[in-house]
Amino acid sequence: MIKGFLFDLDGVLVDTAVYHYKAWKKMANDLGFDIDEEFNEQLKGISRMDSINLILKQGNVSLSEGEIHDLATLKNEAYVEMVDQMTAEEILPGIPELFVQLKKAGIKIALGSASKNAPRILKTIGLIDEFDAIVDGNSVSKSKPDPEVFLKGAEALGLANVECIVVEDAYAGVEAAHSAGMKAIGIGTKTNLPNADIILPSFEGIVLEELIKDLEKN
Ligand code: BG6
Ligand code: MG
């Protein structure tokens, strides 16, 4: 019996994944190398510090702890400047309608995101009051694919792990869901999310009842 949906934020509720990518790419370019979209897939779902360390490794750049910290702060300032301009129009297709259907069905809604900016973004786009629980980068210590964020999400909703469904756009996020004993809906393609239980391009036109039937069959 499905009683809760745990949503990732970046790339699932809003397309902030493009803003993360832009800000990281600029940082890499300033350091004299480039990152492409294929490399960027690895950055989805993982924390800010894990991301910067992977990027520096990719560019063969070795810096002190202090320099890494300063660069991460600069990246975040550039990122925040972009996300502060967002409006409710940037909520991804089908999400508002899905939330209405979930509430009608008595299914709880939680956030399970690695982002420390999650509450700020949810306030900016006017979604924050829709959540029964929020677990974000400020309340977890381990990056996806560690299941911590989803285990805490289920706990915050007062549900058993198997009663929760995860919605993710990141390979690492789907792995985290499975490690938590939860099924995962992947928003994306079979190529970037071969591990998802169900893959959708978006929630546009999705009927919750049918989606749940498919999840229970899987
Ligand atoms: C995840 C994103 O949701 O949050 C990652 O997929 C990002 O790309 C991570 O690095 C941390 O975000 P923030 O906002 O705390 O830098
Ligand atoms: Mg994501």
Side-chain angles (χ1 to χ4, degrees):
M1 175 88 177
I2 295 167
K3 296 186 179 167
F5 265 54
L6 308 180
F7 288 89
D8 173 48
L9 172 70
D10 297 315
V12 166
L13 302 177
V14 277
D15 201 5
T16 38
V18 297
Y19 300 129
H20 278 297
Y21 177 52
K22 265 193 195 166
W24 285 131
K25 195 175 178 70
K26 176 168 187 318
M27 184 199 80
N29 291 168
D30 289 347
L31 289 169
F33 65 98
D34 199 20
I35 53 169
D36 60 15
E37 286 195 34
E38 194 192 337
F39 172 80
N40 187 56
E41 282 301 310
Q42 296 171 56
L43 304 180
K44 290 186 178 172
I46 69 170
S47 71
R48 194 180 309 165
M49 293 319 287
D50 285 351
S51 301
I52 193 166
N53 284 318
L54 266 182
I55 297 167
L56 294 176
K57 199 169 149 214
Q58 172 78 0
N60 267 318
V61 174
S62 144
L63 297 173
S64 71
E65 287 268 321
E67 287 168 325
I68 295 175
H69 186 266
D70 290 351
L71 277 181
T73 303
L74 276 179
K75 179 269 174 179
N76 192 54
E77 284 168 4
Y79 176 71
V80 164
E81 212 174 289
M82 289 187 269
V83 297
D84 278 356
Q85 309 297 316
M86 293 177 77
T87 65
E89 277 171 29
E90 282 178 72
I91 297 171
L92 285 170
I95 292 291
E97 294 81 357
L98 177 67
F99 277 23
V100 170
Q101 295 183 74
L102 287 169
K103 283 174 196 285
K104 234 183 179 171
I107 294 176
K108 290 189 175 158
I109 301 174
L111 188 81
S113 165
S115 175
K116 293 188 170 169
N117 292 301
R120 179 184 193 119
I121 294 169
L122 291 178
K123 272 183 216 148
T124 304
I125 58 172
L127 265 193
I128 195 136
D129 294 333
E130 304 296 320
F131 289 84
D132 297 298
I134 289 185
V135 182
D136 61 27
N138 302 294
S139 38
V140 294
S141 57
K142 291 178 224 132
S143 252
K144 298 168 188 175
D146 189 281
E148 183 185 12
V149 68
F150 296 132
L151 295 175
K152 285 198 167 157
E155 197 188 336
L157 292 179
L159 299 178
N161 303 344
V162 292
E163 293 173 326
C164 296
I165 295 296
V166 166
V167 187
E168 263 293 346
D169 72 319
Y171 186 90
V174 173
E175 290 299 285
H178 289 162
S179 299
M182 301 170 185
K183 284 185 182 168
I185 300 170
I187 301 298
T189 64
K190 219 176 165 47
T191 314
N192 58 6
L193 297 172
N195 50 350
D197 297 283
I198 284 184
I199 299 173
L200 300 172
S202 78
F203 281 108
E204 196 162 20
I206 292 296
V207 177
L208 179 65
E209 221 172 290
E210 288 168 13
L211 179 63
I212 288 181
K213 268 191 211 148
D214 284 349
L215 281 164
E216 285 172 343
K217 249 193 269 158
N218 241 281

